[in-house]
Amino acid sequence: MKNVNAVLSVKFKSNHSPENLMKTCTEDLAIFSNVPGLVEKYYIAEESTGAISGIYLFETKSARATFWTSELAATIPERYAVIPETLRVEEYEMAIVLSEAVPA
């Protein structure tokens, strides 16, 4: 995996319909591709509850912190119609990556 040291998980339920939520996620791909230090972003949906998570992989903790305090991050609750009491934000350090840990 390409130089990832910090992970951000943003999980929530939305007042958007599943179709509108996926439309918003798709529309935002270009915006998120320009976030400094962001290596990859995954949109995942929890099958049992319908909650969605954004999993962000950053080069550094500093890049993660800069993003989370940015204007773009501040728009997430409104843009994604987040139900406030369902919002869960977690920060992680990258520990071991399977693809890099298995000898060739």
Side-chain angles (χ1 to χ4, degrees):
M1 182 169 289
K2 177 184 162 185
N3 209 21
V4 172
N5 291 300
V7 178
L8 177 68
S9 171
V10 180
K11 181 177 181 179
F12 58 88
K13 289 187 180 179
S14 173
N15 281 317
H16 281 320
S17 69
E19 296 78 18
N20 283 342
L21 188 56
M22 286 302 110
K23 180 178 180 243
T24 300
C25 293
T26 302
E27 290 171 350
D28 286 354
L29 290 175
I31 296 167
F32 282 104
S33 70
N34 293 313
V35 170
L38 180 62
V39 176
E40 291 187 67
K41 179 177 183 202
Y42 296 88
Y43 290 97
I44 59 175
E46 188 173 37
E47 292 180 19
S48 62
T49 67
I52 189 163
S53 294
I55 306 297
Y56 303 75
L57 307 179
F58 288 94
E59 292 175 349
T60 64
K61 290 180 187 180
S62 176
R64 177 182 65 199
T66 299
F67 166 71
W68 194 239
T69 59
S70 70
E71 288 183 33
L72 176 57
T75 68
I76 290 172
E78 182 178 347
R79 181 135 175 82
Y80 290 84
V82 172
I83 299 170
E85 61 272 13
T86 68
L87 180 62
R88 181 175 176 174
V89 179
E90 297 176 331
E91 296 178 340
Y92 302 94
E93 291 181 14
M94 189 60 71
I96 297 173
V97 178
L98 175 65
S99 64
E100 295 174 358
V102 178

